[in-house]
Every structure is written in C-alpha cells, then in structure tokens.
Amino acid sequence: MSIPPIELINVTKTYGEFKAVDDISFTVPEGTICGFLGPNGAGKTTSIRMMLDILRPSSGSISILGAPRALDVRRRIGYLPEEKGLYKKMTATAMIAYFATLKGVPAREAKTTAGQLLEKYGLGSFQNHKCEALSKGMGQKVQVLASIAHDPDLVILDEPFSGLDPVNQGVMEEVIRDIRTRGKTILFSTHVMSHAERICERVVIMAAGRLIFDGTVEEAQSLLPRRVRVRGEGAASTLEQMHEVLSSSPSTDGREGVVELRLREGADPQKLLKNAFEKKIALEIFEVVDPNLHEVFVHLVGEDAREAAFR
Amino acid sequence: MIQVFRIAQREYMENVKTKGFWIGIIIFPILIWMMIELPKFLEEQGIPTRHLIIVDRSDGSGDIARQRITLLNRQKILAGLQKHMADATKSQREEKMDEIDLDPDQLLDQLEEGLERLGNPDLEIQPFQPDQLVKIGDLLPEQMLLDDTQWRNLKKLLLSQLPEDTPEFIEPPLRFQEVLLPDGYSLSNSDEEIEDLMRPYLRSEKNLKFGEEEVELFALLIIPEDVLKTNTRVRFWSPNLADNDLIDGILDSLSEEARQLEYNRRGIESKDVAEVASMKVRSVKFNPNKREGDEKVGIRDKIRQYAPIGFVYMLWVAIFTIAQMLLNNTIEEKSNRLIEVLLSSVTTTELLLGKVFGVAAVGVTMQCAWIGSLIAILRYKAGPSATWIADLIAAVITPELLGGFVFYFIAGYFFYAFLFAGIGSICNTIKEAQNFMSPLMLLMMVPLGTMTFIPNDPNGAIATALSWIPPWTPFVMMNRMAASPPVSEIYGTAALLLISVLVVFWLSAKIFRIGVLRTGQPPKLMELFRWLRGTHS
C-alpha cells in the first residue's frame, strides 16, 4: 500500500491556554477527494496551515506525501487559502505563472500552462486582464488555477466554493473532479454539505478543535437511522408497532397523509415492506430515505453547526 | 535560493511597472532641469523696470539716492554683460582646464591701463584672458560704474575683447526708473497730501504716465529736509516690502554721505577714511590632510567638503522611498492574504529576503536613473568637456565618497528595509502602520537635522557619538567621509552597523513569521516582545 498523502497523528495546536486543534489523527488515502467539514472555529484552517507547514503543531506529527514537513515537498502541493486575494496589478496569466514558478515550474512552461488552464475553464478571453478587472468569481477561479498550475499531487483547498454563484460552483466541482481524474488527492474544507455529498469519497468532520468523524460518506450516512415514508390506509399505525421502528411523525415534505418512520440503527427497511405485504396493507407510498450529510453533520456537531449550516 | 530570486524578480517587475516608479524616475531630472532653467528663465524674462517717485525736500540728498539708482541699474547691466562674456568665451575657457589664479589688483591695473589706451590707436591694449573677463565684473569699484565716461568705455573695452563672431550684446531693461509726480502736484504739497494722492497708485488702482506709457508705481520715497544731520526718517511707501534692494541701497548711500559730513566736521580726511576702510585681511586656506606641497584649498576641495551633504540627502531619500515601498506591498500581500499562498511555497525567510532584494533592485534602478540623468543634464548643459563638471565629478568620484555611498546605501537600506518589512507584517492597513511609523520617523529625522552642521566639525564629539548609533551610522558617517575620519572609527562603526543589520534581520524575520499570518488588531508591544522571546508558536 502506498504512503497516504496526508497523515496526522495526535496533532495538537495551542495558543496559550486555548486549544485550537486538540489531538486529531486522520489519514487521507491517495487518489481520493476528501471533504474537511466543521463549523466556524472548529480548527480546520489551523489544521490546514499545519499540514502546509505554515504553522508548526504544538505536539503530534504530520506526514505530507511521506515527508515530515510540507515545505520539503512543496512543489507537489497546491494550496488555496480561505481568504482569497490576487495581485491587483498582475494579469491573470502572469499571476498563475508566478505561483507555478515558485513551485519550480520553468517560467516559459508556467506561462503556457497558465494560458491553457484559463482557456479550459472559460477565462480564455481574460488572460491579459489585470486581476483587479476580474469579477470575484473569476478572481477566485484564477486563484484556484494558480494553486494547481504546477500539477500537484496533493491539492488542499480551503473553502473553494465560498462566494461563488451556482454556475461557478459547478465549475469548481468540475475542477476538483478533473484533478482527481489525474490520480491526485484533494482535501477541501467547506460548509456546504451538498458539495461534499456530491463529490467527496471521504469526509473528516471537526468541531471545537476535535475530530468527530473520519470515514467514507456512506459510513457517515450510516451514523443516522434511515427513515421510511409511507402512505396507505392503516399503514402507519401498523408499521409503527414494529420493533424496527423507533418513532413516527407526519412527513415534512408537504404531501398529504404521509408519515415518516425512523428506523432503529441497522434495521432493514425490507422487513417493514414484508410486514405490510403480509398484513395486506394497501401501500400508496413506500420510500426509503437515506440521511443526508447535512443531517449527519447537524447530528454530530449539534448546536455548534447552526451557524455553519446556514452560511 | 531560486525562490528568493523569483520573489525578488516579481517584486521588481511589479514595482517597475507602476506609474509611481516612472513618475519618480522622470520627475527628478525635470526638477533638476527646472532648477537650472528656472532662474535663467526668470532672469531672461527679467523683472520689469520698476518705477518710483522721489520727493526730495532736502538739499541734494535726492541726488545721492538717484546716484544709487544709477548704480543698481548699471550693476544689472554689468551682470548681463558678464553672462554675455561668459557665454561668448565658453569654448575658449573649456580648452583651458587649469585654474588660473587671478590677482585682483593686477587685473584692475590692467583694466585701467586698457581704459586709458582705449581710443588711441597707437597704443596696444593688453588682451584679457577669458577667465579674467568672466571674473572682472566682480572686482569693479563702484566709482568706475558711476562715472558715465568710464562706464561707457568700460563696456566698450570689455566687448572689444570678445571673439569676433560674438552676437551683439543687448542691454537688459533698467531696474529702476524715476518718474515725476502727476500733474498738479509738486513739492509745495505737504507729505500727507502727496501720500494721500499716491495711495491709489501704490495700490495699482491707478497708473502713472511715463512718456507715452502707462506704468505701475512701485515705490514712493519721501526724503525729509536735513535728513543727513537730524534724526528724521526717510518715508518709503511700496506694496512690495520683500524687494529691499532699492531702499537698502539708498539708505546705504545716504548713511555714507552722512558719515562723510561727520568726518569733515571732525576734521578727518574722508580720503584717509576710505583708504583705511579698504584695508582687508585675506587668508589662504590649507588642508593638513592633503599631500605636502598640495595643501592649498581650491574649489575642488570645497565641493569635496560639501559633496557628502548631497550624498547624505540622496541616501536618506533613497532609503526611505524604497523602504516605504516595501512596507506598502508587504501590507498589500498581507491584507489580501496572498501571503498564505506564498508561504505554502516558500519559507518566511525566503519571502522576506526576496522582497527586500527585489525592492532594493527597484531602488538601485531609480538611483542609477537619477544619477545618470543628472550627469546627462549637467553634460548637456555644460558641454562635453566643461571644467566645472570635471571638477564636480572628480570631487565626488573619490574612493572614499563613492565607496562610502555604496556601502552605506546597502547597509542603511537593509537596516531600514528589514525594520519596515517587520512593521508591514504586523499591520493590515497603512493606517495601522502609521502608528508604528511615527516614532520611527522621528528617529529618521535626526540625521537630516545634523546633516548641515556635521561638516563644520566632522570629527567632533557629537559627530563621533552619533556615528556609533546604528540607525544613524550610514548618514552621519557619509557626512563625515570627506574629512577623513579615523580609520578605527570607519571600520568600528561599519562593523557595528553590519551586526545591527543582522540583528534587525533576525528580529524582523521572527516577527514576520508570526505577523504575516495574523489578522485583526496589530499586536501590543508586550506581545511583540513575547514573539521575540519565542513563547509564541
């Protein structure tokens, strides 16, 4: 098995009394898209900065692409920070090329790549525009492209979707998937669960400096009980008697007479269907609903998540 | 190291591309050009002739005033004539690189002889050297200017000495011209009446008639009776109280006349007084630091003594313009969070060094452009082989001065650059930076304040003490460079300066490392101190 691109072992970062990151350990396997989730102040940015060796952890160890310090392998890492800025007076091409050269790409090659990337992601006609003339969304795309122009093996994006309209969010997802297609590893932090749900294979969730989940999206979803929505005469009253069902309540999806049954952990919805069939209940609706990541997130981080979820 | 180069390169290119950089490059030669051309231009435009009215109630004092006006007028013409002669003999003087010692007495004798022989074709006039022609104007006694015949002959003689192809000399307009009181008024009117009448003229509300022309009245001068004997005062009315040449000159002449009268009354021969008064003790200056036999101090030495002031000023301006540049773009990178991306690619030390070197290159470019344009302008203005520019360049391009300038520029720049970069790293806006800058500005003003008095006592206690304070070492030592300060001091202060540059680098790298990632309020002093002690991160 290959060395995981990101491996954190018992990493802690303290500022005086305050523990910004408290004893976290996780790994991100090669070639995966990993979502890094957590409410504001959870310690995501601090963790990312430690992975990049911009900050040193107070204790614990970090291995990035097999190296103890990210700076040793900086040419193989791409990074987009949370707050995005550009050199206002530089052109989009020059800006992307500059960051690529800092990562060791020869100047001429960097310039060519910059032009190609801008072309590919719909900014071809803005190549020679100064960054100050770009819209916020365009500027952000330029920054993302600047962080990947040297074709890094590991890409770390801090809040890549924030501030983008839905169309550009789609483009950003495309960028991330493209990187993955080339066999690279991506870690990105976000507050928007739908993005994570759509493109991530794994998620790492942090809250208040601690790691509260690390696993695949399916594993995360399995943390919450599944639900079954039913409609039909006597369906709800019969099925809610079953051992598998925890509770029932009218469905909130707006449809008349639909009842939502929450299942016990590990319960098989097929048993409910079988039971209804045996009891000869005329089912009009029988839907198995998997919990979404948002619900898992809210469940895991509780009240802390409120602020984050509505961002 | 390649990263440092890349950052420096970008820093350089970005600064060089700004309008401010080019404005800075262009504005300097324009200013120099204006400094050279403007006085000349104003002179050529000339202050128009100023008109005045003299109300003379005394017995002859008005004529003394008029004589003074004639003198002022002829001095102006003489100045024009001198310039004319200087222009006409320019190429001749350039050929002669040696400085000629001009003996004033001998020159005047030659002039008087020339004046006597003028108009007599049998007697040959001993020709004047071009250098003598340029300088003779400064030596002429007032008496010679005031005597109409001598004055006429003098002009003729001097102009006859110029090369044949010299264009004709055009006399500049008179400086002062007396006009008469308006019709209907005369000395029979009282001072008050005349003053009331002239007020609107003095305020430029009305114009006077002078021949066919309408002219503005510049001044009204009322000379009271017995002005030379009693304590009565001359009344001088003028809307322009800044131009005192007229009234000062007239008062000088009147005072002189009053003194003459008094000498006579006391039975002292005024000729004796004049002779005694013309006695003057002169000096010849020597510099012990020069080679034996070559100790006499010439113009070159004078330029050399004052050249360091120019260097200090240039050093100061250069260091602070570019250190300020560094401060600004550190804050820019910090406030738009680019610094984080940079730091994922380079170490803080690489970033700091790259920025400092890049901006240094900008400064050096600017300096070279300035010095280059300065030399170009001087050469253009003075012709390809002008002696004085040779003097200037020879005076300035000595190993001590030039070497000193280069060393102190580099060391001083790095000292302040690291300091400014450190400050930039803890501030999010220029406004925040200003809080830190104001005490620093005060610190920086000191060498400017001492700049002019250090050459008076370059190796004195104050200069020596200031030399040992690292922030001031570059400026103060540069200032003293021409005076050959003790070698031990040169190397001692240089060593101390270099050590402080390293200390400032180390401190600011430490602050930079923490500061650049920090958002929000700039840190308090105590907090900075903790950073330096390393109890943070």
Side-chain angles (χ1 to χ4, degrees):
Chain A
M1 191 160 151
S2 61
I3 307 155
I6 300 178
E7 183 171 34
L8 277 72
I9 302 166
N10 305 117
V11 171
T12 298
K13 176 75 186 174
T14 54
Y15 292 104
E17 296 288 294
F18 176 67
K19 278 191 176 175
V21 173
D22 187 4
D23 192 28
I24 65 170
S25 305
F26 67 85
T27 56
V28 177
E30 194 176 342
T32 51
I33 301 177
C34 175
F36 196 27
L37 315 178
N40 285 349
K44 300 189 299 291
T45 297
T46 306
S47 305
I48 286 177
R49 285 180 178 175
M50 285 191 289
M51 291 175 209
L52 291 161
D53 204 29
I54 295 172
L55 293 175
R56 302 292 301 150
S58 306
S59 66
S61 71
I62 295 174
S63 152
I64 297 296
L65 296 166
R69 299 193 63 161
L71 274 180
D72 298 339
V73 287
R74 60 189 169 196
R75 296 191 172 184
R76 295 171 58 204
I77 304 174
Y79 170 49
L80 174 76
E82 180 179 5
E83 284 172 75
K84 284 103 190 153
L86 300 158
Y87 288 111
K88 289 188 209 138
K89 301 283 174 196
M90 278 178 113
T91 63
T93 314
M95 164 96 193
I96 295 172
Y98 171 58
F99 282 107
T101 55
L102 281 185
K103 298 283 192 182
V105 179
R108 189 164 303 196
E109 194 186 321
K111 210 173 162 203
T112 318
T113 314
Q116 286 166 352
L117 282 173
L118 285 167
E119 200 69 55
K120 183 171 175 190
Y121 294 105
L123 288 172
S125 52
F126 292 95
Q127 286 190 16
N128 295 317
H129 280 53
K130 282 192 175 161
C131 288
E132 63 189 350
L134 300 177
S135 72
K136 190 181 173 190
M138 288 192 273
Q140 197 156 329
K141 268 201 249 178
V142 169
Q143 244 211 335
V144 175
L145 297 181
S147 66
I148 60 168
H150 56 297
D151 197 21
D153 295 329
L154 170 63
V155 181
I156 296 178
L157 309 170
D158 204 351
E159 294 289 349
F161 298 102
S162 74
L164 293 181
D165 63 38
V167 175
N168 278 308
Q169 287 182 3
V171 176
M172 188 65 62
E173 286 185 18
E174 186 193 329
V175 173
I176 294 174
R177 283 202 193 92
D178 285 349
I179 302 169
R180 220 297 298 277
T181 318
R182 294 200 303 275
K184 318 293 185 182
T185 310
I186 300 118
L187 176 84
F188 73 90
S189 74
T190 185
H191 293 307
V192 186
M193 296 305 144
S194 55
H195 295 303
E197 202 157 39
R198 267 202 299 276
I199 59 178
C200 288
E201 283 129 356
R202 293 184 72 85
V203 288
V204 172
I205 302 178
M206 278 184 82
R210 279 190 300 276
L211 184 84
I212 52 175
F213 179 81
D214 169 23
T216 62
V217 174
E218 291 74 35
E219 283 166 354
Q221 283 167 335
S222 71
L223 289 177
L224 278 188
R226 302 169 99 177
R227 286 158 298 173
V228 173
R229 290 190 186 134
V230 294
R231 189 163 78 182
E233 210 178 318
S237 54
T238 311
L239 294 176
E240 69 189 18
Q241 307 296 325
M242 290 175 65
H243 173 72
E244 279 79 7
V245 177
L246 271 174
S247 63
S248 74
S249 57
S251 171
T252 52
D253 66 1
R255 286 176 296 180
E256 188 90 4
V258 178
V259 174
E260 194 171 280
L261 306 168
R262 287 176 63 229
L263 305 191
R264 237 174 247 287
E265 207 181 316
D268 184 0
Q270 291 303 320
K271 278 196 176 165
L272 272 73
L273 189 60
K274 199 174 162 200
N275 193 357
F277 188 71
E278 280 166 3
K279 299 244 165 84
K280 298 204 166 30
I281 294 167
L283 280 174
E284 294 165 28
I285 291 175
F286 186 90
E287 293 171 352
V288 179
V289 184
D290 280 328
N292 60 32
L293 209 49
H294 177 75
E295 290 163 316
V296 177
F297 184 73
V298 172
H299 167 73
L300 285 173
V301 303
E303 283 300 305
D304 286 350
R306 269 182 180 278
E307 192 196 357
F310 288 107
R311 258 191 36 156
Chain B
M1 240 13 231
I2 182 87
Q3 316 288 66
V4 174
F5 171 73
R6 289 238 157 87
I7 290 169
Q9 190 187 26
R10 193 206 77 88
E11 206 67 54
Y12 179 76
M13 290 312 293
E14 288 308 298
N15 276 304
V16 164
K17 274 195 247 162
T18 58
K19 285 189 203 81
F21 176 81
W22 288 103
I23 291 172
I25 292 242
I26 291 164
I27 209 142
F28 179 77
I30 290 178
L31 279 179
I32 297 287
W33 184 268
M34 274 169 62
M35 269 161 64
I36 296 174
E37 290 293 308
L38 202 60
K40 225 168 98 187
F41 174 76
L42 288 178
E43 200 181 300
E44 273 161 22
Q45 289 293 302
I47 304 161
T49 304
R50 295 183 149 162
H51 296 84
L52 74 153
I53 289 175
I54 299 175
V55 176
D56 180 19
R57 298 193 186 284
S58 72
D59 180 16
S61 295
D63 290 334
I64 295 169
R66 288 185 186 100
Q67 217 175 33
R68 189 62 184 211
I69 290 169
T70 306
L71 182 65
L72 287 169
N73 283 338
R74 289 186 178 167
Q75 279 170 341
K76 184 180 172 189
I77 294 169
L78 183 65
L81 183 62
Q82 267 184 288
K83 193 177 161 287
H84 180 73
M85 291 191 296
D87 289 346
T89 57
K90 193 167 158 185
S91 54
Q92 291 177 322
R93 281 180 294 122
E94 276 165 5
E95 283 162 19
K96 293 177 119 354
M97 296 290 281
D98 311 323
E99 213 175 295
I100 299 173
D101 260 329
L102 298 165
D103 179 355
D105 297 330
Q106 187 220 319
L107 192 55
L108 278 180
D109 287 346
Q110 189 189 340
L111 183 73
E112 269 170 31
E113 198 185 282
L115 285 174
E116 274 166 27
R117 293 179 181 191
L118 193 72
N120 189 340
D122 300 337
L123 295 169
E124 204 180 314
I125 295 170
Q126 191 191 347
F128 289 85
Q129 299 292 326
D131 272 323
Q132 293 176 319
L133 280 179
V134 173
K135 283 178 187 162
I136 201 165
D138 302 332
L139 305 169
L140 297 177
E142 288 181 3
Q143 238 21 70
M144 199 179 265
L145 295 184
L146 284 171
D147 185 306
D148 288 348
T149 320
Q150 283 214 19
W151 167 245
R152 220 170 20 248
N153 288 339
L154 181 73
K155 283 194 285 184
K156 214 164 145 192
L157 175 66
L158 292 178
L159 287 171
S160 74
Q161 297 295 307
L162 296 179
E164 299 217 329
D165 55 342
T166 311
E168 203 193 334
F169 172 60
I170 299 159
E171 283 194 12
L174 292 181
R175 213 173 152 192
F176 298 103
Q177 172 68 55
E178 188 186 352
V179 288
L180 298 173
L181 279 170
D183 291 343
Y185 280 82
S186 68
L187 287 180
S188 56
N189 295 99
S190 71
D191 286 356
E192 286 75 25
E193 280 170 345
I194 292 176
E195 284 171 359
D196 280 344
L197 166 75
M198 296 320 294
R199 219 169 253 134
Y201 292 95
L202 286 163
R203 287 189 194 133
S204 302
E205 290 161 11
K206 279 170 141 183
N207 282 341
L208 279 172
K209 269 227 169 338
F210 177 65
E212 297 299 304
E213 278 176 277
E214 294 242 319
V215 296
E216 260 184 41
L217 184 62
F218 171 72
L220 169 67
L221 185 76
I222 299 175
I223 303 173
E225 213 182 329
D226 282 341
V227 67
L228 299 181
K229 290 178 193 144
T230 57
N231 210 9
T232 48
R233 294 185 178 203
V234 172
R235 294 170 72 81
F236 181 72
W237 289 75
S238 175
N240 183 341
L241 291 174
D243 188 347
N244 284 328
D245 287 358
L246 176 66
I247 182 66
D248 288 351
I250 288 173
L251 291 179
D252 274 356
S253 293
L254 290 176
S255 308
E256 181 57 32
E257 186 63 22
R259 283 195 290 268
Q260 293 291 344
L261 288 175
E262 188 61 16
Y263 292 141
N264 290 344
R265 196 180 68 78
R266 298 190 186 197
I268 307 168
E269 273 291 318
S270 64
K271 208 178 106 224
D272 295 345
V273 176
E275 267 178 38
V276 174
S278 71
M279 280 177 64
K280 229 178 188 171
V281 177
R282 299 198 182 163
S283 72
V284 51
K285 295 176 178 169
F286 299 99
N287 186 343
N289 290 325
K290 295 185 69 177
R291 265 182 296 120
E292 229 170 286
D294 194 23
E295 296 115 324
K296 210 166 150 190
V297 177
I299 294 179
R300 203 166 280 198
D301 298 286
K302 280 202 185 120
I303 299 177
R304 232 170 79 79
Q305 193 191 344
Y306 289 98
I309 297 188
F311 273 122
V312 173
Y313 194 68
M314 235 161 73
L315 197 64
W316 198 88
V317 170
I319 287 179
F320 294 118
T321 12
I322 59 179
Q324 189 75 35
M325 240 183 246
L326 185 70
L327 175 77
N328 289 349
N329 66 31
T330 307
I331 293 176
E332 187 203 345
E333 267 168 12
K334 199 194 158 188
S335 64
N336 66 18
R337 312 305 299 155
L338 273 162
I339 215 123
E340 238 182 289
V341 191
L342 291 172
L343 289 185
S344 69
S345 308
V346 299
T347 63
T348 38
T349 313
E350 282 170 335
L351 180 61
L352 180 62
L353 285 177
K355 291 177 76 65
V356 167
F357 282 124
V359 173
V362 176
V364 169
T365 310
M366 210 176 234
Q367 290 287 301
C368 289
W370 284 357
I371 293 173
S373 60
L374 184 66
I375 291 177
I377 286 180
L378 291 180
R379 285 200 166 242
Y380 176 75
K381 292 309 297 174
S385 56
T387 48
W388 67 275
I389 183 163
D391 271 344
L392 186 72
I393 292 174
V396 162
I397 301 184
T398 60
E400 310 99 84
L401 283 187
L402 217 57
F405 183 73
V406 172
F407 172 76
Y408 291 120
F409 173 71
I410 294 172
Y413 166 72
F414 280 110
F415 184 91
Y416 284 99
F418 288 133
L419 211 58
F420 279 37
I423 289 175
S425 75
I426 53 177
C427 300
N428 290 308
T429 60
I430 299 283
K431 218 173 158 184
E432 282 174 10
Q434 267 155 8
N435 291 334
F436 290 91
M437 288 299 293
S438 21
L440 210 62
M441 278 313 262
L442 288 178
L443 189 76
M444 282 152 31
M445 292 311 290
V446 174
L448 273 195
T450 57
M451 190 167 79
T452 44
F453 77 70
I454 284 180
N456 294 337
D457 189 11
N459 293 321
I462 295 181
T464 309
L466 290 176
S467 306
W468 288 96
I469 301 172
W472 301 331
T473 305
F475 309 104
V476 178
M477 284 307 286
M478 188 68 237
N479 224 340
R480 300 174 55 193
M481 230 41 207
S484 314
V487 175
S488 60
E489 252 176 68
I490 298 180
Y491 288 109
T493 53
L496 185 65
L497 178 61
L498 289 179
I499 292 169
S500 352
V501 169
L502 288 179
V503 170
V504 173
F505 168 62
W506 178 77
L507 290 177
S508 83
K510 223 163 175 183
I511 290 179
F512 198 81
R513 200 163 299 142
I514 306 168
V516 284
L517 287 176
R518 196 187 143 103
T519 48
Q521 287 278 310
K524 302 270 178 300
L525 268 181
M526 277 310 290
E527 203 173 337
L528 270 183
F529 189 63
R530 277 206 303 276
W531 291 5
L532 294 179
R533 284 203 343 231
T535 45
H536 182 289
S537 105

Coordinates of all heavy atoms in Angstrom, one line a residue, chain B residues 56 58-59 61 222-234 254 258:
Chain B
D56 N 11.9 115.0 -2.9 CA 13.2 115.4 -2.2 C 13.0 116.8 -1.6 O 12.9 117.8 -2.3 CB 14.3 115.4 -3.3 CG 15.6 115.8 -2.6 OD1 15.7 115.7 -1.4 OD2 16.5 116.2 -3.4
S58 N 15.2 117.8 0.7 CA 16.5 118.1 1.3 C 17.3 118.9 0.3 O 16.9 119.1 -0.8 CB 17.2 116.8 1.7 OG 17.6 116.2 0.5
D59 N 18.5 119.1 0.7 CA 19.4 119.8 -0.1 C 20.4 118.9 -0.7 O 21.5 118.6 -0.2 CB 20.2 120.9 0.7 CG 21.1 121.7 -0.1 OD1 21.0 121.7 -1.3 OD2 22.0 122.3 0.5
S61 N 20.2 115.5 -1.1 CA 20.2 114.1 -0.8 C 19.4 113.2 -1.8 O 19.7 112.1 -2.0 CB 19.5 113.9 0.6 OG 20.2 114.5 1.6
I222 N 10.0 109.6 0.2 CA 10.0 111.0 0.6 C 11.2 111.2 1.5 O 11.4 110.6 2.6 CB 8.7 111.3 1.4 CG1 7.5 111.1 0.4 CG2 8.7 112.8 1.9 CD1 6.2 111.2 1.1
I223 N 12.1 112.1 1.0 CA 13.3 112.4 1.8 C 13.1 113.7 2.5 O 12.9 114.8 1.8 CB 14.5 112.5 0.8 CG1 14.7 111.2 0.0 CG2 15.8 112.8 1.6 CD1 15.7 111.2 -1.0
P224 N 13.1 113.7 3.8 CA 12.8 114.9 4.5 C 14.0 115.9 4.5 O 15.1 115.5 4.1 CB 12.6 114.4 5.9 CG 13.2 113.1 6.0 CD 13.3 112.6 4.7
E225 N 13.8 117.1 4.9 CA 14.8 118.1 5.0 C 15.8 117.7 6.0 O 15.5 117.0 7.0 CB 14.1 119.4 5.4 CG 14.8 120.7 4.8 CD 14.1 121.9 5.4 OE1 12.9 121.8 5.7 OE2 14.8 122.9 5.5
D226 N 17.0 118.0 5.8 CA 18.1 117.8 6.9 C 18.2 116.3 7.2 O 18.5 116.0 8.4 CB 17.8 118.6 8.1 CG 18.2 120.0 7.9 OD1 19.0 120.2 7.0 OD2 17.7 120.9 8.7
V227 N 17.9 115.5 6.3 CA 17.9 114.0 6.6 C 19.3 113.6 7.0 O 19.5 112.6 7.8 CB 17.4 113.2 5.4 CG1 18.4 113.3 4.2 CG2 17.2 111.8 5.8
L228 N 20.3 114.2 6.6 CA 21.7 113.8 6.9 C 22.2 114.3 8.3 O 23.1 113.8 8.8 CB 22.7 114.3 5.8 CG 22.4 113.7 4.4 CD1 23.4 114.2 3.4 CD2 22.4 112.2 4.4
K229 N 21.5 115.3 8.8 CA 22.0 115.9 10.0 C 21.2 115.5 11.2 O 21.6 115.3 12.3 CB 22.1 117.4 9.9 CG 23.2 117.8 8.9 CD 23.2 119.3 8.7 CE 24.1 119.7 7.6 NZ 23.5 120.8 6.8
T230 N 19.8 115.4 11.0 CA 19.0 115.2 12.1 C 18.5 113.7 12.1 O 18.8 113.0 11.1 CB 17.8 116.1 12.1 OG1 17.1 116.0 10.9 CG2 18.2 117.6 12.3
N231 N 17.7 113.4 13.0 CA 17.2 112.0 13.1 C 15.9 111.8 12.4 O 15.2 110.9 12.7 CB 17.0 111.7 14.6 CG 17.3 110.2 14.8 OD1 17.8 109.5 13.9 ND2 17.0 109.7 16.0
T232 N 15.6 112.6 11.4 CA 14.3 112.4 10.7 C 14.5 111.2 9.8 O 15.6 110.8 9.4 CB 14.0 113.6 9.8 OG1 15.2 114.0 9.0 CG2 13.5 114.8 10.6
R233 N 13.3 110.6 9.4 CA 13.4 109.4 8.7 C 12.9 109.5 7.3 O 12.0 110.3 7.0 CB 12.5 108.3 9.4 CG 13.1 108.0 10.7 CD 12.4 106.9 11.4 NE 13.1 106.7 12.7 CZ 13.0 105.5 13.3 NH1 12.2 104.6 12.9 NH2 13.7 105.4 14.5
V234 N 13.5 108.7 6.4 CA 13.0 108.6 5.0 C 11.8 107.8 5.0 O 11.7 106.8 5.7 CB 14.1 107.9 4.2 CG1 13.6 107.7 2.8 CG2 15.4 108.8 4.1
L254 N 22.9 107.2 1.6 CA 22.7 108.3 2.5 C 23.5 108.3 3.7 O 24.1 109.3 4.2 CB 21.2 108.5 2.8 CG 20.3 108.8 1.6 CD1 18.8 108.8 2.0 CD2 20.6 110.2 1.1
A258 N 26.2 110.9 5.1 CA 26.1 111.4 6.5 C 27.4 111.3 7.2 O 27.9 112.2 7.9 CB 25.0 110.8 7.3

